[in-house]
Amino acid sequence: MSTEQYKIKNYSPKFAKKTVTVMRKVNQRNSDILIKDNFDEQVTHFKNVVAKKYDMRIVTSFNERTIYGVVIFDQNQLIDLLVDPAKKSLGISETLVNIVKNQSNGNLVCDTSNRQLSAFLSQQGFQNIATNHFVWKQN
């Protein structure tokens, strides 16, 4: 990923609408993050619940007008990884997962039934130890 074209930022409330827009666009799996159908309710839930409960990093365009990817996580769990389909092959997913690994306590879990994310996690060193349950441990 060329850092000249993109910026990695900590989430802030000014990105809420753009982040939810990416999450709705990707919609790659059923997510507990966006539990409402209405966009405004999703933004409110995202700002008041999700953003307060989890850590997040986002990948923005250099001018911060567009969000290309978001990762939601805590010290022990990769909650969600979403990248704009138009930006899939630029290394954004790898960059975001590496950030989560570096912020973790050396162990991460991710529960997903999405085949594409499952395959990606396997490539990133996660072990599929049960149906839809992936674990990564630092060596």
Side-chain angles (χ1 to χ4, degrees):
M1 183 175 81
S2 170
T3 56
E4 295 173 13
Q5 297 175 333
Y6 309 104
K7 290 199 272 188
I8 299 169
K9 308 275 296 180
N10 289 329
Y11 171 81
S12 76
K14 74 178 185 176
F15 295 117
K17 286 184 179 181
K18 292 176 184 175
T19 302
V20 170
T21 299
V22 168
M23 294 174 83
R24 289 169 62 105
K25 183 190 302 187
V26 172
N27 195 21
Q28 59 184 345
R29 59 191 175 280
N30 291 335
S31 175
D32 293 335
I33 300 298
L34 299 178
I35 59 174
K36 312 258 186 216
D37 289 332
N38 176 285
F39 180 78
D40 291 330
E41 290 176 356
Q42 288 176 338
V43 171
T44 300
H45 176 75
F46 191 81
K47 284 196 296 192
N48 296 329
V49 178
V50 177
K52 291 179 180 178
K53 186 174 181 181
Y54 301 111
D55 288 322
M56 285 182 268
R57 298 296 180 277
I58 56 174
V59 175
T60 71
S61 57
F62 192 74
N63 62 12
E64 298 182 2
R65 290 187 179 151
T66 307
I67 292 181
Y68 298 124
V70 61
V71 64
I72 304 169
F73 63 99
D74 64 25
Q75 190 176 19
N76 304 307
Q77 188 173 15
L78 173 62
I79 308 298
D80 219 340
L81 173 66
L82 302 155
V83 175
D84 185 324
K87 302 293 182 181
K88 280 280 188 191
S89 61
L90 299 176
I92 293 172
S93 296
E94 292 88 349
T95 299
L96 291 173
V97 166
N98 286 333
I99 288 169
V100 175
K101 286 178 178 178
N102 290 333
Q103 297 291 316
S104 77
N105 64 6
N107 295 299
L108 287 170
V109 297
C110 181
D111 294 309
T112 182
S113 58
N114 179 274
R115 288 184 296 200
Q116 187 176 12
L117 182 58
S118 297
F120 173 76
L121 291 174
S122 294
Q123 293 170 353
Q124 297 300 308
F126 283 75
Q127 300 297 313
N128 186 1
I129 63 167
T131 303
N132 302 329
H133 185 73
F134 292 81
V135 173
W136 173 81
K137 293 183 185 210
Q138 189 172 27
N139 293 332

mmCIF file of all heavy atoms in Angstrom, residues 75-92:
data_model
loop_
_atom_site.group_PDB
_atom_site.id
_atom_site.type_symbol
_atom_site.label_atom_id
_atom_site.label_comp_id
_atom_site.label_asym_id
_atom_site.label_seq_id
_atom_site.Cartn_x
_atom_site.Cartn_y
_atom_site.Cartn_z
ATOM 1 N N GLN A 75 -8.164 -5.718 22.155
ATOM 2 C CA GLN A 75 -6.856 -6.331 22.397
ATOM 3 C C GLN A 75 -6.845 -7.834 22.110
ATOM 4 O O GLN A 75 -5.797 -8.401 21.822
ATOM 5 C CB GLN A 75 -6.447 -6.075 23.852
ATOM 6 C CG GLN A 75 -5.034 -6.432 24.165
ATOM 7 C CD GLN A 75 -4.661 -6.074 25.586
ATOM 8 O OE1 GLN A 75 -5.512 -5.887 26.442
ATOM 9 N NE2 GLN A 75 -3.377 -5.990 25.837
ATOM 10 N N ASN A 76 -8.005 -8.460 22.151
ATOM 11 C CA ASN A 76 -8.084 -9.913 21.990
ATOM 12 C C ASN A 76 -8.847 -10.386 20.764
ATOM 13 O O ASN A 76 -8.865 -11.576 20.496
ATOM 14 C CB ASN A 76 -8.772 -10.538 23.222
ATOM 15 C CG ASN A 76 -8.073 -10.165 24.497
ATOM 16 O OD1 ASN A 76 -6.875 -10.344 24.628
ATOM 17 N ND2 ASN A 76 -8.828 -9.621 25.430
ATOM 18 N N GLN A 77 -9.503 -9.467 20.062
ATOM 19 C CA GLN A 77 -10.417 -9.908 19.020
ATOM 20 C C GLN A 77 -10.422 -8.966 17.819
ATOM 21 O O GLN A 77 -10.455 -7.746 17.972
ATOM 22 C CB GLN A 77 -11.828 -9.995 19.607
ATOM 23 C CG GLN A 77 -12.837 -10.606 18.707
ATOM 24 C CD GLN A 77 -14.174 -10.812 19.404
ATOM 25 O OE1 GLN A 77 -14.436 -10.262 20.465
ATOM 26 N NE2 GLN A 77 -15.028 -11.601 18.800
ATOM 27 N N LEU A 78 -10.406 -9.560 16.642
ATOM 28 C CA LEU A 78 -10.646 -8.842 15.399
ATOM 29 C C LEU A 78 -12.152 -8.920 15.163
ATOM 30 O O LEU A 78 -12.688 -9.988 14.897
ATOM 31 C CB LEU A 78 -9.876 -9.491 14.245
ATOM 32 C CG LEU A 78 -10.133 -8.970 12.845
ATOM 33 C CD1 LEU A 78 -9.745 -7.504 12.731
ATOM 34 C CD2 LEU A 78 -9.386 -9.795 11.825
ATOM 35 N N ILE A 79 -12.827 -7.802 15.325
ATOM 36 C CA ILE A 79 -14.285 -7.772 15.250
ATOM 37 C C ILE A 79 -14.759 -7.708 13.800
ATOM 38 O O ILE A 79 -15.631 -8.464 13.382
ATOM 39 C CB ILE A 79 -14.862 -6.555 16.015
ATOM 40 C CG1 ILE A 79 -14.324 -6.470 17.437
ATOM 41 C CG2 ILE A 79 -16.383 -6.529 15.961
ATOM 42 C CD1 ILE A 79 -14.661 -7.623 18.324
ATOM 43 N N ASP A 80 -14.196 -6.797 13.037
ATOM 44 C CA ASP A 80 -14.619 -6.629 11.648
ATOM 45 C C ASP A 80 -13.490 -6.012 10.838
ATOM 46 O O ASP A 80 -12.754 -5.160 11.333
ATOM 47 C CB ASP A 80 -15.863 -5.738 11.571
ATOM 48 C CG ASP A 80 -16.861 -6.215 10.535
ATOM 49 O OD1 ASP A 80 -16.477 -6.968 9.625
ATOM 50 O OD2 ASP A 80 -18.036 -5.832 10.632
ATOM 51 N N LEU A 81 -13.358 -6.441 9.614
ATOM 52 C CA LEU A 81 -12.381 -5.921 8.662
ATOM 53 C C LEU A 81 -13.123 -5.700 7.357
ATOM 54 O O LEU A 81 -13.617 -6.649 6.761
ATOM 55 C CB LEU A 81 -11.231 -6.907 8.465
ATOM 56 C CG LEU A 81 -10.223 -6.557 7.381
ATOM 57 C CD1 LEU A 81 -9.442 -5.294 7.754
ATOM 58 C CD2 LEU A 81 -9.264 -7.714 7.156
ATOM 59 N N LEU A 82 -13.217 -4.450 6.945
ATOM 60 C CA LEU A 82 -13.976 -4.106 5.756
ATOM 61 C C LEU A 82 -13.144 -3.200 4.862
ATOM 62 O O LEU A 82 -12.610 -2.193 5.328
ATOM 63 C CB LEU A 82 -15.263 -3.385 6.155
ATOM 64 C CG LEU A 82 -16.171 -4.190 7.086
ATOM 65 C CD1 LEU A 82 -17.038 -3.274 7.904
ATOM 66 C CD2 LEU A 82 -17.002 -5.164 6.287
ATOM 67 N N VAL A 83 -13.045 -3.561 3.596
ATOM 68 C CA VAL A 83 -12.296 -2.760 2.625
ATOM 69 C C VAL A 83 -13.172 -2.569 1.396
ATOM 70 O O VAL A 83 -13.812 -3.511 0.912
ATOM 71 C CB VAL A 83 -10.965 -3.443 2.249
ATOM 72 C CG1 VAL A 83 -10.247 -2.666 1.161
ATOM 73 C CG2 VAL A 83 -10.077 -3.588 3.472
ATOM 74 N N ASP A 84 -13.204 -1.347 0.901
ATOM 75 C CA ASP A 84 -13.956 -1.010 -0.303
ATOM 76 C C ASP A 84 -13.542 -1.986 -1.408
ATOM 77 O O ASP A 84 -12.352 -2.151 -1.690
ATOM 78 C CB ASP A 84 -13.646 0.429 -0.709
ATOM 79 C CG ASP A 84 -14.458 0.909 -1.879
ATOM 80 O OD1 ASP A 84 -14.744 0.118 -2.808
ATOM 81 O OD2 ASP A 84 -14.816 2.097 -1.879
ATOM 82 N N PRO A 85 -14.516 -2.643 -2.047
ATOM 83 C CA PRO A 85 -14.183 -3.625 -3.095
ATOM 84 C C PRO A 85 -13.300 -3.062 -4.204
ATOM 85 O O PRO A 85 -12.486 -3.777 -4.783
ATOM 86 C CB PRO A 85 -15.554 -4.033 -3.643
ATOM 87 C CG PRO A 85 -16.507 -3.764 -2.534
ATOM 88 C CD PRO A 85 -15.958 -2.567 -1.807
ATOM 89 N N ALA A 86 -13.414 -1.781 -4.506
ATOM 90 C CA ALA A 86 -12.598 -1.170 -5.556
ATOM 91 C C ALA A 86 -11.131 -1.037 -5.146
ATOM 92 O O ALA A 86 -10.272 -0.800 -5.987
ATOM 93 C CB ALA A 86 -13.157 0.201 -5.924
ATOM 94 N N LYS A 87 -10.838 -1.205 -3.865
ATOM 95 C CA LYS A 87 -9.474 -1.040 -3.351
ATOM 96 C C LYS A 87 -8.905 -2.339 -2.786
ATOM 97 O O LYS A 87 -7.929 -2.323 -2.042
ATOM 98 C CB LYS A 87 -9.459 0.039 -2.258
ATOM 99 C CG LYS A 87 -9.976 1.377 -2.714
ATOM 100 C CD LYS A 87 -9.057 1.990 -3.737
ATOM 101 C CE LYS A 87 -9.537 3.356 -4.168
ATOM 102 N NZ LYS A 87 -8.684 3.942 -5.174
ATOM 103 N N LYS A 88 -9.481 -3.469 -3.143
ATOM 104 C CA LYS A 88 -9.132 -4.760 -2.536
ATOM 105 C C LYS A 88 -7.683 -5.192 -2.730
ATOM 106 O O LYS A 88 -7.112 -5.792 -1.867
ATOM 107 C CB LYS A 88 -10.046 -5.863 -3.070
ATOM 108 C CG LYS A 88 -11.380 -5.895 -2.418
ATOM 109 C CD LYS A 88 -11.301 -6.589 -1.094
ATOM 110 C CE LYS A 88 -12.696 -6.779 -0.563
ATOM 111 N NZ LYS A 88 -12.785 -7.188 0.779
ATOM 112 N N SER A 89 -7.072 -4.941 -3.843
ATOM 113 C CA SER A 89 -5.748 -5.516 -4.117
ATOM 114 C C SER A 89 -4.597 -4.552 -3.828
ATOM 115 O O SER A 89 -3.519 -4.697 -4.379
ATOM 116 C CB SER A 89 -5.683 -5.984 -5.572
ATOM 117 O OG SER A 89 -5.874 -4.881 -6.435
ATOM 118 N N LEU A 90 -4.802 -3.593 -2.947
ATOM 119 C CA LEU A 90 -3.777 -2.589 -2.672
ATOM 120 C C LEU A 90 -3.023 -2.818 -1.361
ATOM 121 O O LEU A 90 -2.221 -1.982 -0.966
ATOM 122 C CB LEU A 90 -4.404 -1.190 -2.674
ATOM 123 C CG LEU A 90 -5.055 -0.768 -3.983
ATOM 124 C CD1 LEU A 90 -5.729 0.580 -3.829
ATOM 125 C CD2 LEU A 90 -4.019 -0.723 -5.104
ATOM 126 N N GLY A 91 -3.319 -3.904 -0.666
ATOM 127 C CA GLY A 91 -2.622 -4.190 0.584
ATOM 128 C C GLY A 91 -3.257 -3.550 1.808
ATOM 129 O O GLY A 91 -2.681 -3.570 2.890
ATOM 130 N N ILE A 92 -4.444 -2.988 1.650
ATOM 131 C CA ILE A 92 -5.106 -2.323 2.769
ATOM 132 C C ILE A 92 -5.457 -3.329 3.856
ATOM 133 O O ILE A 92 -5.217 -3.084 5.040
ATOM 134 C CB ILE A 92 -6.354 -1.553 2.281
ATOM 135 C CG1 ILE A 92 -5.921 -0.384 1.389
ATOM 136 C CG2 ILE A 92 -7.200 -1.065 3.456
ATOM 137 C CD1 ILE A 92 -7.065 0.329 0.684
#
